[in-house]
Amino acid sequence: MKLSLLAAVAAAALAPALAHAEAATPPAASAQPAPTAAEAEAFVADAEKTLAALNEYSQRSAWVQETYITDDTNWLLAKANSESTDAGVRFAKGAARFDHTVVDPVTRRKLELLKRALVLPASSRPGASKELADISAQLDTIFAASTVDIDGKALTINDLEQLLRTERDPAKTREIWVKWHDAAKPMRSLYPRLVSLSNEGARELGYPDTGALWRSWYDMPPAQFEATEERLWTQVEPLYKNLHCYVRAKLNAKYGDAVQPKTGPIRADLTGNMWAQSWGAIYDIVKPADGPGLGYDLTQSLVAHGYDPMKMVKTGENFYTAAGFAPLPDTFWKRSQFTKPRDRDVVCHASAWDVDDKDDLRVKMCIHINDEDFYTVHHELGHNFYQRAYKDQPTLFRNGANDGFHEAIGDYAGLNALTPTYLKQIGLIDAAPGPEADIPYLLNMALEKVAILPWALLVDKWRWQVFAGQTTPEHYTDAWNALRLKYQGVTPPVPRGPDTFDPGAKFHVADSTPYARYYLADIYEFQFYRAACRQAGWKGPLNRCSVYGNKDVGARFNAMLKLGQSKPWPEALAAFTGEHDIDASAISEYFAPLNAWLTRQNKGRACGW
Ligand code: X8Z
Ligand code: ZN
């Protein structure tokens, strides 16, 4: 989802009624009586009106900037974002004045949301928000507009990602990896200032640092959120280690000891992905040695069936309309960006927008006709259908139950849409393979859904350390690669020098988009999917379930979506699943047959790194 700085309204999840321990409340104004409930309500009404207008202005500025990057659009966006940040800080501080006022629960929730709404706050010192917005725009532009020379061609990250999917020469994958990571070097001198400006703002709002603010978005104390992430990791780590062990052995068999040793970490550039966060592109290398295999190649089917970007998006839309959702508005088709324009720099990283917070839904992608983007289309549209489902909520509740929910909606659709059952229903394959294809299918899914888990966990662990001052600028890349080694068990193809800024090679770091959301989403989506399949009365293996076309399930799903963030997320979760907590048992259940198979394959191997 695309969030403006202020769309804090968009980025934050709601916190419980009272401030958390980590978020200090400003000292009570000495002798003054607490403001009244009527004053609180008037304050909230003003905030909603003002923020809605500023948010729309920022979104429109961001749309123009991201689809046409120039000095001028950067300037316009930075100005809009700085004004939004100033207002966000003003309202966050204003909301804290009502900490001791007795108000109705809806007003209380809105006040709490306002206090933690910003992603990168700035202090109220004149010029602070503008400087922060300028730095943010510069970082974004370095990421989106940088090119590197590969065989005489100037390639952007969008091109490099495609290249890495299919390049199998390890000297070449190393070159691509190193050149792109080196392209982030100019960010190194900018990032410390972003950190200190944003921390200055966070402290003014009563948080120890920006990381503590980010951890306060989940309807629980920040420390409990960290513990929740760890609990989930304990649940899924053995599965990841099993997958890592198997994939490493396959890479070793293909490339030999000199390129990929039998033990130790996996060389990051060999995974078919710049960040080693999804490994689906190397399915051809790691597929089971015997057996019938997947039975089809989705990328080839899409090409063979004449899919173009428009058809990809129409197919994605159809998944949702078949569940009972209204079709996307005409403006979606007129205003979205589906392909990369030839003549200008744009941000290709996929995003979904709700420009006026009502009906002006859009996606911005640079679609390639392949299985990955088939999935991503469903992912992005999930954001749009969520946005429309909660559009009648008051402004401050127009957001996901938490940011992980927002990411998980389209992923839930994607889990259904990738099943052979569904692909056959929409004519992309002639026949759905039988149970003999389950292991190849689950392996292919694990290369995406299991491989991403440690990565999705570590990106914000790194940022939390940086915001807390535990990692200083001289150690940015070292600390990053230490976390990559610890959680993912991957290593850069070459040692990285002190002038590098490897975290900046990832969109969400350059763009300051929080990342814990993807970790949560990877767990929630399987909870949603299992619940949907149970509702549909599915009795077979989870991986073969598709609820495509089931309007009863669609109606229950919509009931969760339309809550927006009006309720704490456990209530939204329970509305659809009957479960009240985030829990990795659904993802474990889904992959259980694969986990058993991997254990057999890994027999005799020394797993881990
Ligand atoms: O950024 C995204 C989406 C847009 S919200 C395409 N994702 C993460 C990434 O690309 O790193 C989806 C999966 C993780
Ligand atoms: Zn997303």
Side-chain angles (χ1 to χ4, degrees):
M1 178 176 43
K2 183 62 206 172
L3 309 166
S4 73
L5 279 182
L6 182 67
V9 197
L14 181 48
L18 290 173
H20 301 312
E22 215 177 324
T25 304
S30 47
Q32 292 194 350
T36 64
E39 285 173 286
E41 283 162 33
F43 171 82
V44 165
D46 175 45
E48 293 203 287
K49 197 160 156 249
T50 308
L51 293 178
L54 282 168
N55 197 32
E56 181 173 353
Y57 195 91
S58 290
Q59 294 279 353
R60 289 189 190 278
S61 309
W63 179 269
V64 177
Q65 188 266 353
E66 292 200 15
T67 56
Y68 190 178
I69 304 173
T70 67
D71 286 343
D72 296 322
T73 56
N74 279 347
W75 187 93
L76 291 166
L77 176 62
K79 183 166 186 296
N81 279 343
S82 142
E83 284 162 12
S84 284
T85 302
D86 286 341
V89 168
R90 217 170 50 241
F91 285 121
K93 287 189 185 161
R97 280 177 35 239
F98 300 100
D99 279 350
H100 304 291
T101 303
V102 178
V103 293
D104 65 87
V106 168
T107 304
R108 174 53 58 204
R109 186 162 177 83
K110 289 180 177 175
L111 288 167
E112 292 305 321
L113 270 175
L114 280 170
K115 281 161 54 179
R116 28 186 72 75
L118 288 158
V119 177
L120 292 183
S123 80
S124 42
R125 182 172 52 76
S129 68
K130 184 61 174 48
E131 189 185 354
L132 181 56
D134 281 338
I135 294 176
S136 298
Q138 284 180 65
L139 290 168
D140 269 354
T141 302
I142 295 171
F143 187 93
S146 288
T147 57
V148 304
D149 182 315
I150 304 286
D151 298 329
K153 290 202 198 90
L155 302 184
T156 63
I157 181 59
N158 183 52
D159 308 317
L160 298 169
E161 278 189 70
Q162 295 310 309
L163 212 52
L164 263 188
R165 289 172 59 85
T166 50
E167 180 59 64
R168 298 292 182 253
D169 171 358
K172 209 76 209 165
T173 57
R174 181 176 56 204
E175 180 192 349
I176 295 166
W177 192 101
V178 169
K179 284 188 170 164
W180 176 248
H181 281 75
D182 283 353
K185 283 181 183 179
M187 297 182 197
R188 194 181 174 282
S189 57
L190 297 170
Y191 205 75
R193 187 72 187 141
L194 176 131
V195 170
S196 79
L197 284 165
S198 162
N199 276 344
E200 198 188 334
R203 283 188 203 112
E204 208 175 284
L205 298 180
Y207 299 88
D209 62 68
T210 308
L213 167 65
W214 291 12
R215 292 190 296 277
S216 77
W217 290 338
Y218 300 96
D219 296 317
M220 62 178 84
Q224 194 185 328
F225 177 66
E226 222 175 322
T228 299
E229 282 203 335
E230 287 300 328
R231 161 175 66 81
L232 296 168
W233 180 238
T234 314
Q235 281 183 281
V236 295
E237 188 185 10
L239 173 60
Y240 177 74
K241 288 219 157 127
N242 234 355
L243 180 69
H244 178 283
C245 193
Y246 172 80
V247 167
R248 182 179 60 190
K250 287 284 190 178
L251 289 171
N252 172 261
K254 173 159 179 78
Y255 292 112
D257 292 345
V259 173
Q260 176 58 64
K262 281 194 183 63
T263 57
I266 290 173
R267 213 178 95 171
D269 58 309
L270 302 178
T271 60
N273 176 273
M274 188 63 82
W275 309 278
Q277 69 179 74
S278 65
W279 306 344
I282 57 163
Y283 177 76
D284 59 322
I285 300 176
V286 307
K287 67 184 176 198
D290 6 273
L294 267 180
Y296 59 89
D297 177 324
L298 180 54
T299 298
Q300 278 172 18
S301 296
L302 290 165
V303 173
H305 286 81
Y307 272 61
D308 58 14
M310 179 65 108
K311 191 159 184 200
M312 298 265 276
V313 184
K314 284 276 180 199
T315 305
E317 181 196 34
N318 176 57
F319 181 87
Y320 293 91
T321 54
F325 289 84
L328 291 162
D330 286 349
T331 50
F332 172 90
W333 304 101
K334 291 199 184 103
R335 298 176 189 168
S336 288
Q337 177 197 289
F338 295 153
T339 48
K340 186 176 191 301
R342 256 171 307 185
D343 57 347
R344 57 187 198 259
D345 290 327
V346 299
V347 175
C348 268
H349 190 89
S351 52
W353 302 57
D354 183 4
V355 173
D356 63 357
D357 233 10
K358 275 250 174 265
D359 304 305
D360 195 346
L361 305 170
R362 307 178 195 178
V363 296
K364 186 185 56 56
M365 292 184 67
C366 300
I367 297 178
H368 299 269
I369 308 304
N370 61 31
D371 51 0
E372 186 181 31
D373 277 359
F374 180 79
Y375 182 85
T376 302
V377 162
H378 290 81
H379 173 92
E380 295 308 331
L381 293 183
H383 290 305
N384 288 137
F385 282 98
Y386 203 178
Q387 286 158 342
R388 196 168 53 186
Y390 58 60
K391 74 172 182 162
D392 294 327
Q393 290 284 352
T395 298
L396 284 167
F397 293 159
R398 278 180 217 154
N399 200 359
N402 66 41
D403 54 5
F405 268 64
H406 229 303
E407 299 304 332
I409 304 307
D411 284 347
Y412 153 79
L415 285 181
N416 287 279
L418 287 182
T419 59
T421 323
Y422 172 76
L423 297 177
K424 174 163 182 324
Q425 277 171 313
I426 62 163
L428 264 172
I429 58 176
D430 295 334
E436 69 286 353
D438 276 13
I439 292 297
Y441 181 77
L442 285 171
L443 176 62
N444 199 32
M445 293 300 284
L447 295 173
E448 302 291 334
K449 297 289 168 195
V450 178
I452 197 176
L453 284 162
W455 159 261
L457 181 62
L458 76 84
V459 172
D460 280 356
K461 278 194 184 288
W462 179 81
R463 277 191 287 211
W464 294 349
Q465 290 175 1
V466 167
F467 284 129
Q470 291 152 358
T471 296
T472 50
E474 319 79 78
H475 299 293
Y476 277 168
T477 294
D478 287 351
W480 174 258
N481 285 323
L483 286 167
R484 301 255 283 151
L485 179 62
K486 176 172 176 199
Y487 287 100
Q488 285 183 285
V490 304
T491 181
V494 297
R496 303 297 291 152
D499 60 335
T500 57
F501 184 61
D502 286 0
K506 178 65 191 170
F507 171 79
H508 301 70
V509 174
D511 186 65
S512 290
T513 301
Y515 211 86
R517 60 187 60 181
Y518 301 108
Y519 183 68
L520 305 178
D522 210 57
I523 312 278
Y524 285 137
E525 69 196 60
F526 287 92
Q527 286 184 269
F528 296 164
Y529 179 67
R530 179 173 66 181
C533 294
R534 282 179 181 163
Q535 285 166 29
W538 177 256
K539 296 277 181 289
L542 206 44
N543 62 281
R544 270 191 265 157
C545 159
S546 159
V547 297
Y548 172 57
N550 188 323
K551 294 208 164 49
D552 292 335
V553 173
R556 284 190 65 168
F557 198 59
N558 189 44
M560 170 172 78
L561 302 196
K562 77 180 201 222
L563 290 174
Q565 68 177 344
S566 62
K567 303 277 186 229
W569 65 261
E571 281 183 48
L573 181 66
F576 184 61
T577 67
E579 297 160 30
H580 289 82
D581 204 357
I582 185 164
D583 166 34
S585 70
I587 188 173
S588 302
E589 187 184 322
Y590 182 97
F591 285 113
L594 178 76
N595 200 25
W597 183 85
L598 287 170
T599 303
R600 289 199 298 278
Q601 300 298 309
N602 289 333
K603 212 160 171 248
R605 289 180 187 141
C607 293
W609 51 87

